[in-house]
Amino acid sequence: VTHPFIAAVQAAAPNCRLACDATGMEPFLTDCRGIFRGDALCVASPSTTADVAAVVGAARAHGVAVVPQGGNTGLAGGATPMGRQPQVVLHLGRMRAIRRIDRVGMTLEAEAGCILQSAKEAAQEKGRLLPISFAAEGSATVGGMIATNAGGINALRYGTVRQQVLGLEAVMSDGSVLRAMSGLRKDNSGYDWKHWLIGSEGTLGIVTAAVLRLSPLPTQRHVAFVAVDSPAAALRLLERLQDSVGNALSAFELMSGTSVARVLQHQGGRLPLEQAGAWYVLLELSDQAAAQLGPQLEAELFAAMDAGDARDAAVADNLDQMRQFWALRENITEAERHVGRSFKHDVAVAVSAMPDFIERASAAVTALHADLSLNVFGHLGDGNVHFNVLAPDGLESLGERVHHVVHDVVAACEGSIAAEHGIGQYRVTELQRLKPPQEMAWMARVKRALDPENLLNPGKLLPAEQNHVA
Ligand code: MLT
Ligand code: ZN
């Protein structure tokens, strides 16, 4: 027999596609790494905001939980159903229109299922930059990156996704549509509710469309690959560049020597330097002005080498080389698949505390088990690294202890255990353990106010039962 929720959706939103069979649902029930798996009554794929509202309304009427899903590229299981209650995966991939680009207003309006890369290309065709870049941008969607407040390699200069969102349209837990799509740059006429939803991982409302801020399109880019002895040396290089070309610095990424070696071994590519380094920095400068950024970058790199802060450096000569340099960075996550299980940590600490964090966390992991290896890379300029711990077959069960020791160092450094990937279901217990109880209690109050029946992505970010605790 058909579940009454399914019948209700069919009646209220006949154009909403529904997959209720195992094969049709399969891709939506597991995350991209295959470590989380859940069950659902069906997968609903609406093509309009009104149909999203109809699905949420029917879900509420029948006590069905709603798990929103975009490109399913998340690394924290936030878009994968969990638990035993009846639930629907709400797939937004059919809502992919780019509704408008305003050149002089520098805004782009897109629906939630629009692929980030398509939005970037559309902006670029109009001579504008949508400054959000990360390895999964070919599949990640506008709605997903807003729900997780994604970071990526350009947050250093432009901020995270939160800073790019000027307007939002969302379906709230009661099935109503909240709309603030004028894209005003200044609006102090009340609570700025869009910020409740950004980074809320689908627990407070479902983003259906957004107005994104665009930036001027840079006319010159310079990419350098630099070997350094240590994260501390990398920070000295960062400080040097802040002094000279600071405004043009659009990426400053740290990679351990072993992370890059793993990419070369499993994904191919070529090291652009003569000798392997203990650590590498991949940095990018970009600008519109005709200023002599290239020669300035080379002068700074020579000065850094003279000062002993850099071992060796290569500057890409052309677009092809830029791509090759960046591939060494962007393939790091993919290369992990060849090694075994990756216990991921998405850590933020003060930029200046990063060398200390890396040293202490590395020592803690090594002390736990000698066969664990490290994959440390990420957005040093933002004080955010992916401190991933790789476990060979047989050591999968160490996960919880590894998370504990790494996150204890994060806490000792007054950092955050989720810088850009979110909490999802991966870090719920660790968040409970480490976030001050008072903050958790206020988060739970907000959740109860906006989703009193706990139907929006339950169990993600906050523990499933949290909502019902007085
Ligand atoms: C990255 O910076 O490459 C992404 O956040 C992906 C990852 O952490 O694996
Ligand atoms: Zn990252």
Side-chain angles (χ1 to χ4, degrees):
V1 295
T2 311
H3 192 284
F5 162 74
I6 293 173
V9 173
Q10 282 167 338
N15 292 324
C16 178
R17 273 186 212 150
L18 290 176
C20 308
D21 61 306
T23 320
M25 290 202 288
E26 176 59 28
F28 303 92
L29 298 181
T30 179
D31 72 313
C32 64
R33 289 208 287 152
I35 60 173
F36 300 105
R37 205 187 157 75
D39 208 356
L41 295 172
C42 64
V43 176
S45 304
S47 61
T48 62
T49 302
D51 282 359
V52 175
V55 172
V56 173
R60 186 182 170 125
H62 294 278
V64 171
V66 180
V67 181
Q69 191 176 104
N72 201 10
T73 61
L75 294 169
T80 309
M82 64 184 285
R84 297 212 180 148
Q85 79 232 76
Q87 51 203 318
V88 53
V89 174
L90 181 52
H91 171 241
L92 291 137
R94 287 178 70 205
M95 294 183 60
R96 52 175 175 254
I98 295 170
R99 293 180 186 161
R100 202 164 100 93
I101 295 177
D102 176 349
R103 269 179 61 81
V104 68
M106 301 250 252
T107 57
L108 178 148
E109 181 179 333
E111 293 180 346
C114 177
I115 305 281
L116 172 55
Q117 191 176 306
S118 315
K120 289 175 71 165
E121 285 169 3
Q124 188 159 350
E125 273 169 33
K126 298 269 194 229
R128 295 289 180 264
L129 176 73
L130 176 58
I132 306 160
S133 303
F134 47 85
E137 66 185 42
S139 329
T141 60
V142 165
M145 79 189 193
I146 292 172
T148 52
N149 185 22
I153 55 171
N154 293 141
L156 175 66
R157 174 153 170 196
Y158 298 97
T160 63
V161 164
R162 186 180 296 278
Q163 278 79 49
Q164 321 308 328
V165 178
L166 292 173
L168 217 59
E169 178 192 87
V171 173
M172 306 306 279
S173 68
D174 62 354
S176 64
V177 180
L178 259 183
R179 245 181 147 261
M181 293 290 280
S182 53
L184 298 179
R185 300 208 169 224
K186 303 179 85 170
D187 179 10
N188 285 351
S189 63
Y191 298 139
D192 199 346
W193 61 264
K194 64 180 178 288
H195 287 292
W196 303 347
L197 267 63
I198 301 166
S200 71
E201 305 189 33
T203 64
L204 301 180
I206 293 159
V207 174
T208 48
V211 181
L212 300 171
R213 178 199 302 276
L214 301 177
S215 291
L217 191 64
T219 47
Q220 53 171 328
R221 280 175 70 201
H222 306 275
V223 179
F225 200 93
V226 188
V228 296
D229 286 342
S230 64
L235 278 191
R236 290 194 293 274
L237 176 62
L238 174 61
E239 202 174 345
R240 178 184 295 278
L241 294 169
Q242 286 165 340
D243 287 338
S244 51
V245 290
N247 283 339
L249 197 57
S250 48
F252 194 91
E253 299 281 311
L254 179 73
M255 299 164 284
S256 72
T258 46
S259 305
V260 173
R262 214 172 276 117
V263 171
L264 295 171
Q265 184 187 345
H266 296 293
Q267 312 285 122
R270 200 180 64 81
L271 190 68
L273 305 172
E274 276 176 15
Q275 272 184 16
W279 293 87
Y280 301 103
V281 166
L282 179 55
L283 64 92
E284 178 157 332
L285 306 182
S286 56
D287 206 353
Q288 262 201 320
Q292 298 287 304
L293 263 186
Q296 209 176 345
L297 173 61
E298 289 189 15
E300 295 301 337
L301 291 172
F302 275 122
M305 285 196 271
D306 279 346
D309 293 338
R311 281 267 157 212
D312 195 4
V315 177
D317 284 330
N318 50 48
L319 211 59
D320 210 41
Q321 263 184 10
M322 288 182 199
R323 281 198 204 102
Q324 288 168 22
F325 286 16
W326 271 111
L328 293 176
R329 163 66 182 86
E330 294 197 321
N331 284 330
I332 291 179
T333 298
E334 196 57 35
E336 283 187 344
R337 288 176 196 266
H338 299 270
V339 181
R341 188 62 178 260
S342 171
F343 304 132
K344 288 184 179 284
H345 306 93
D346 173 31
V347 173
V349 296
V351 174
S352 53
M354 191 55 87
D356 185 45
F357 165 76
I358 292 175
E359 195 180 313
R360 288 163 70 180
S362 304
V365 168
T366 312
L368 194 62
H369 201 292
D371 294 339
L372 296 170
S373 51
L374 297 175
N375 194 28
V376 182
F377 63 99
H379 321 290
L380 181 63
D382 300 324
N384 168 207
V385 290
H386 305 301
F387 192 92
N388 296 348
V389 179
L390 308 181
D393 293 344
L395 292 187
E396 293 86 356
S397 62
L398 277 182
E400 207 174 311
R401 286 169 66 200
V402 171
H403 293 316
H404 258 246
V405 299
V406 173
H407 289 156
D408 284 350
V409 181
V410 175
C413 295
E414 295 182 63
S416 166
I417 65 164
E420 57 172 11
H421 296 169
I423 298 298
Q425 50 185 298
Y426 196 40
R427 302 190 172 94
V428 171
T429 44
E430 282 292 84
L431 190 73
Q432 281 280 102
R433 185 171 77 85
L434 294 163
K435 192 125 177 147
Q438 220 196 1
E439 276 184 65
M440 291 302 296
W442 277 104
M443 293 210 324
R445 278 179 204 164
V446 172
K447 169 73 171 168
R448 273 199 299 279
L450 270 68
D451 179 23
E453 286 164 47
N454 195 21
L455 291 178
L456 296 182
N457 221 4
K460 317 292 168 51
L461 197 53
L462 293 167
E465 71 280 8
Q466 178 91 22
N467 198 42
H468 305 295
V469 178

